[in-house]
Amino acid sequence: MLDQVKVVLVGTSHSGNIGSAARAMKVMGLSQLVLVQPECEVDAQAIALASGASDVALNARIVSSLEEAVSDCALIVGSSARSRTLEWPMLEPRECGEKMIQESKQGAGALVFGRERTGLTNEELQKCHYHVCIPANPEYSSLNLAMAVQTLSYEVRMAYLNDQQSQYAPIAEVEYPRHKELELFYQHLEKVMLASEFISPDQPNQVMNKMRRLFSRARPEAQELNILRGVLTAIEKSHLSKK
């Protein structure tokens, strides 16, 4: 299950942070590190700060977009401060670890961390099913990147150990759509809403952002998403074809 959990670092600018994050991961049994458009290389400083976890840092997969990093993931959780401007389903760190382990039995999951100074953009955060906020001291809430990775990796490991020791019957398995399948649904939904003139072609994102938030909160299962795609297709055939 731990092998199914990716740690995704977006736009990292200091190589030492890559090494420190790799160390934090390996201590907790995580090994899948993905770097999205890093502004530095995995250099000698990264290896030095990895301190025995150089294999995680050196084997990190480098990709050009967050989309590519999480395309095969059924659960995506973005690390973020609580925002009043972008309301999104939130998890506490413990809930995040439990959900990540529960759903890793079915497919890959991703913990996404943003840039050292500016974090994740709103567009990147909207690609996540949930946001997680580490409840640090409000008077001094400055967590560096490696600390954030360590905290959430710890919660994932604790959830994994609890799952291994559990005496309860396993929860019924649920299949969730992968990120790329959700994106195809959103594209289909926007196409139908534009064609039916439900939304304006001048400002489609105003409604689409709310729809993304709605479906992120609802977490439709794979079969449910297929039904929704079928509904959209039926609307196209029966209503829009008459125009």
Side-chain angles (χ1 to χ4, degrees), residues 192-243:
V192 171
M193 290 198 294
L194 283 169
S196 64
E197 299 180 353
F198 181 81
I199 59 176
S200 167
D202 298 329
Q203 294 179 316
N205 288 338
Q206 288 187 354
V207 173
M208 284 306 302
N209 287 344
K210 292 183 181 297
M211 297 304 292
R212 281 178 174 268
R213 186 174 68 185
L214 167 64
F215 286 106
S216 289
R217 187 168 63 244
R219 289 297 309 283
E221 298 170 9
Q223 187 177 27
E224 293 169 337
L225 194 71
N226 288 336
I227 293 172
L228 291 171
R229 291 293 300 272
V231 171
L232 293 175
T233 300
I235 292 172
E236 288 178 309
K237 289 180 178 178
S238 65
H239 178 67
L240 300 180
S241 61
K242 296 177 182 179
K243 290 193 172 185

